[in-house]
Amino acid sequence: MANCIFLCLVILTTSFAGSSSQQDVDDCPELRCKQDGPIVRFPFFIKGRHNKNCGYSKDFELSCSKENDTVLELPVSVKLHVSDISYRSQYLWVHDPNNCVLQQFIVLDLSASPFLFNEVYDATVFNCSRDSTSSLSTRVDCLRDSSHPFVAITKTLGDLDGMVPCNKMFSLNSVSWEVFDKYFISTFAMLWLRPNCSRCEEKGKHCRLKTNNSESETQCVNHLLAFRVKFWAAVHLVAANQRMAIILCPPSLDLADNFDTNHSKALS
């Protein structure tokens, strides 16, 4: 009897473990670095928490900081925090944790990145002897120090007409127009064009790589339906193994008779 009970337990445990491991391999769950952080799913994936196959490519890899902020790393060694992601419009909103995004833009190179700005300008950053009076320039206080008391950024050299003597510090190519906003606080939007999953989102579906091991082709999937199919498949698998356990280890008639006898005595 003891051996039979042990065999039943092994069968049931195996059924649960098998269905769970299969789901873990197939699933790419929606995750967050923290409770109020952006939802991360295809084409993005979180390093160390998602399988790499859950993302479109290495370029869409995100990570969680020690403070559980969602981090995107761009070429070359530019780390920005992600505050929101719109999978339908294919935009993400990022900000510099040090609130000086222009410092990051000095080394930013998006030529090998899938992300780009919606509207861009070439800009020049200047160090001026005193504050600028030009309405076409924007002060950059985070770049100020004792040797650069007034730092301004302009779209064109002609914008310097209303500025006092200034020396060029560096140039920036193809930067977001938002850096010229007088009230800019280091948060700006970026978009991606590939993969184009907006058509899936418009249908209320999710996007994923095709199951034929294609490295770039995507397909739309009904994520709710997929979850239900896997759930009921696991239920049926457990039920089938339970029936097998009953066949191998049928209830003992002696035990049933003893239970009925003892139960009758207790009532009398």
Side-chain angles (χ1 to χ4, degrees), residues 133-186:
T133 58
S134 173
S135 61
L136 299 177
S137 64
T138 302
R139 279 182 52 172
V140 187
D141 290 334
C142 69
L143 293 179
R144 293 173 58 185
D145 56 33
S146 58
S147 60
H148 305 95
F150 297 100
V151 179
I153 181 173
T154 66
K155 296 180 184 177
T156 66
L157 293 177
D159 296 345
L160 287 174
D161 291 342
M163 298 176 68
V164 295
C166 300
N167 297 317
K168 177 180 175 179
M169 295 177 64
F170 53 86
S171 297
L172 297 170
N173 297 321
S174 302
V175 295
S176 172
W177 67 270
E178 291 169 299
V179 302
F180 302 100
D181 188 344
K182 295 287 185 181
Y183 305 100
F184 179 61
I185 54 173
S186 295

Side-chain angles (χ1 to χ4, degrees), residues 93-114:
W93 285 263
V94 295
H95 65 275
D96 176 27
N98 298 317
N99 292 321
C100 193
V101 70
L102 283 181
Q103 189 73 50
Q104 298 260 41
F105 281 174
I106 295 174
V107 295
L108 179 64
D109 180 11
L110 294 180
S111 61
S113 170

Side-chain angles (χ1 to χ4, degrees), residues 3-208:
N3 291 336
C4 190
I5 293 175
F6 175 76
L7 178 60
C8 294
L9 291 175
V10 168
I11 292 173
L12 293 177
T13 302
T14 304
S15 66
F16 279 107
S19 60
S20 175
S21 62
Q22 183 61 40
Q23 286 180 308
D24 290 342
V25 170
D26 295 339
D27 286 349
C28 292
E30 295 182 344
L31 297 177
R32 302 174 190 256
C33 287
K34 58 183 178 181
Q35 187 173 3
D36 59 346
I39 293 175
V40 178
R41 55 180 167 84
F42 188 89
F44 298 93
F45 67 99
I46 298 179
K47 182 180 181 180
R49 298 182 61 184
H50 276 129
N51 188 300
K52 290 183 179 180
N53 295 331
C54 292
Y56 183 72
S57 69
K58 178 73 174 177
D59 295 321
F60 289 86
E61 179 183 274
L62 301 177
S63 60
C64 298
S65 69
K66 293 181 180 179
E67 295 75 25
N68 291 324
D69 291 306
T70 309
V71 180
L72 170 69
E73 185 167 353
L74 298 171
V76 180
S77 299
V78 174
K79 292 186 178 182
L80 301 171
H81 287 186
V82 181
S83 55
D84 196 12
I85 302 175
S86 172
Y87 292 93
R88 185 166 184 173
S89 62
Q90 303 207 159
Y91 273 89
L92 70 161
W93 285 263
V94 295
H95 65 275
D96 176 27
N98 298 317
N99 292 321
C100 193
V101 70
L102 283 181
Q103 189 73 50
Q104 298 260 41
F105 281 174
I106 295 174
V107 295
L108 179 64
D109 180 11
L110 294 180
S111 61
S113 170
F115 304 103
L116 57 142
F117 299 117
N118 190 36
E119 185 177 354
V120 297
Y121 294 93
D122 292 337
T124 308
V125 179
F126 289 87
N127 165 36
C128 305
S129 58
R130 59 185 174 86
D131 204 357
S132 168
T133 58
S134 173
S135 61
L136 299 177
S137 64
T138 302
R139 279 182 52 172
V140 187
D141 290 334
C142 69
L143 293 179
R144 293 173 58 185
D145 56 33
S146 58
S147 60
H148 305 95
F150 297 100
V151 179
I153 181 173
T154 66
K155 296 180 184 177
T156 66
L157 293 177
D159 296 345
L160 287 174
D161 291 342
M163 298 176 68
V164 295
C166 300
N167 297 317
K168 177 180 175 179
M169 295 177 64
F170 53 86
S171 297
L172 297 170
N173 297 321
S174 302
V175 295
S176 172
W177 67 270
E178 291 169 299
V179 302
F180 302 100
D181 188 344
K182 295 287 185 181
Y183 305 100
F184 179 61
I185 54 173
S186 295
T187 299
F188 56 97
M190 304 185 75
L191 72 152
W192 71 93
L193 301 178
R194 290 179 56 87
N196 183 5
C197 292
S198 57
R199 67 188 188 282
C200 298
E201 298 290 333
E202 291 171 357
K203 299 176 182 178
K205 298 182 178 182
H206 284 181
C207 194
R208 59 171 292 174

Side-chain angles (χ1 to χ4, degrees), residues 1-9 11 241-257:
M1 183 65 184
N3 291 336
C4 190
I5 293 175
F6 175 76
L7 178 60
C8 294
L9 291 175
I11 292 173
N241 281 281
Q242 285 179 325
R243 287 193 293 270
M244 183 181 295
I246 292 174
I247 293 172
L248 294 176
C249 306
S252 171
L253 295 177
D254 293 337
L255 290 176
D257 292 340

